Amino acid sequence: MSDSKDELKAVQAALGAEHAAVYGFGVVGGRIGEDRRAEARTAYDTHRARRDELQRAVRDLGGEPEPSAAAYALPFAVRDSAAAVRLATELEERVAGVYSDLVRASTGARRGHAAEALREAAVRAARWRGGSVTFPGLAERAAGPGTSAPAAPKA
């Protein structure tokens, strides 16, 4: 059985990743080509909905949801549509990694919701990337160039 303190920490981390994803997809939406704009909008809306669900989950666990930062550091400059696609891919990979941690830390319905969110993020990442990875969201993958940690807030 999971420890409620560990579960709250994992839910807060997922919330932080969703805050960063909402911010990041705002950037993606501003640079993405017309041919993928609807896909970016759907991802943005999905991350906003997940963020709202996680805020409720934090409260249900007796915590206070961490607020969104005013801005987040991007891993690279997003000057064109190709960079926007790379950013979208990285955002989804990072979110998948954090949901992987939440699957490990939770039980019951929350674990099921986290597994669903992990799967959805992995599918979106594969679509953005144009191919899939063997085990999306695994911590072992974080040692490579595509870390699963959420983007750090700007100071």
Side-chain angles (χ1 to χ4, degrees), residues 9-152:
K9 184 177 176 182
V11 172
Q12 288 279 28
L15 175 58
E18 290 293 7
H19 282 314
V22 168
Y23 177 87
F25 271 100
V27 173
V28 168
R31 296 289 187 204
I32 197 76
E34 186 65 38
D35 59 325
R36 298 196 81 178
R37 190 158 292 146
E39 188 177 359
R41 180 62 188 193
T42 298
Y44 177 78
D45 290 342
T46 298
H47 288 293
R48 284 182 42 203
R50 291 271 184 208
R51 176 202 61 198
D52 295 348
E53 290 170 10
L54 289 165
Q55 288 173 327
R56 286 188 294 275
V58 167
R59 286 187 192 98
D60 290 348
L61 289 167
E64 183 62 32
E66 292 293 325
S68 176
Y72 291 84
L74 298 177
F76 48 83
V78 182
R79 294 187 174 97
D80 57 20
S81 185
V85 169
R86 284 195 327 272
L87 178 60
T89 303
E90 185 156 334
L91 290 168
E92 296 296 359
E93 288 173 346
R94 290 176 180 199
V95 166
V98 175
Y99 277 113
S100 176
D101 294 340
L102 183 54
V103 168
R104 284 190 292 274
S106 60
T107 60
R110 188 165 290 115
R111 179 180 239 175
H113 292 301
E116 179 183 333
L118 166 57
R119 180 188 58 79
E120 289 174 1
V123 168
R124 283 190 303 272
R127 285 185 184 138
W128 286 111
R129 184 184 317 101
S132 63
V133 296
T134 307
F135 297 108
L138 285 183
E140 293 82 358
R141 202 163 171 275
T147 181
S148 65

